[in-house]
Amino acid sequence: MIVGVVRELWRYPVKSMPGERLRTAEVTERGVAGDRRFALVDVATGKVVSAKQPRLWRELLTGQAARALRSAVVGSVATELSALLGREVLLTGTPPQDATIDRARPEEVLSAGPLAEVAHDVSRLRAGTFFDFAPLHLVSTATLERVGTAAPRYRPNLVIETPGDPGFVENDWLGKKLTIGQLELEIIAATPRCAVPTLRHGHLDPYPDALRIPARHNRLVPLPGMAEFPCAGVYAQVPAAGRIRVGDQVRLVS
């Protein structure tokens, strides 16, 4: 059954930094080629840097950070970003052993503001990668329309056009498989939303409803043993690799 078509393809070469929009991409068990290939590490703590802790790292999502990434050679990116962030960071393509990030509790950030020091949880990254949950993140146009925002705010890899469907249609894909040509995707979890979508993203102004609307209308338990979270989009594993293009049909097979 056809559930939609690929409307947008994205990759994010450096974790928590601006993405690149693609027309075609090779997707393997490690996700979109080149996605989260690098990350910054906080020299003071040894933790991987993530805008999920906006008090420290929200500036990574800004246009100024994007310009630093584009203009600087690899050896000086960390220097420029350290100056922007006010903390010394290192750029690495090698995930630290037992790598972790700090994840500020999103609804506390929403209440107190991104500059406030709020409670946070420590999340372990997938072994040998810079991914939080899974190598691929999907969101539907129905969900984006329901929330009233653009795709970059949720940082998906695939935006699936689902005309006429209600918001949060991805919930119906949980536990099932999708195919896009030769590519096979196993949908394993709803995407728990952090504070990141509420922040400024390049030219996109802060938008608290990116968290508030899922909090009101789509609270789910992403994985067994987790608490209930505001969710938008889904995470996927990749049982069979393939090349995909904008405009490819997306089929629900089981």
Side-chain angles (χ1 to χ4, degrees), residues 71-156:
S71 65
V73 295
V74 170
S76 65
V77 168
T79 300
E80 292 199 25
L81 291 176
S82 295
L84 173 66
L85 298 167
R87 292 175 69 94
E88 186 179 0
V89 295
L90 297 176
L91 180 69
T92 181
T94 304
Q97 188 173 8
D98 299 324
T100 62
I101 62 169
D102 288 337
R103 186 184 194 274
R105 294 180 183 172
E107 288 169 287
E108 292 190 26
V109 175
L110 197 60
S111 175
L115 300 181
E117 188 166 354
V118 301
H120 69 270
D121 300 300
V122 178
S123 298
R124 192 175 303 280
L125 301 182
R126 286 170 58 91
T129 78
F130 292 119
F131 295 113
D132 295 359
F133 282 85
L136 211 65
H137 174 211
L138 293 73
V139 70
S140 70
T141 54
T143 291
L144 295 175
E145 290 165 6
R146 175 73 178 274
V147 177
T149 192
R153 196 177 294 282
Y154 282 136
R155 300 174 62 80

Side-chain angles (χ1 to χ4, degrees), residues 52 103 132-134 136-140 143 154 168-176 186-194 214 217-224 226-237:
K52 289 180 172 65
R103 186 184 194 274
D132 295 359
F133 282 85
L136 211 65
H137 174 211
L138 293 73
V139 70
S140 70
T143 291
Y154 282 136
F168 311 116
V169 65
E170 308 93 326
N171 294 352
D172 295 336
W173 306 342
L174 291 168
K176 300 176 182 178
E186 181 182 355
I187 309 302
I188 61 168
T191 305
R193 300 316 331 186
C194 60
H217 301 291
N218 201 48
R219 299 187 74 94
L220 301 171
V221 176
L223 291 170
M226 292 183 67
E228 194 176 68
F229 285 92
C231 292
V234 288
Y235 280 122
Q237 293 179 337

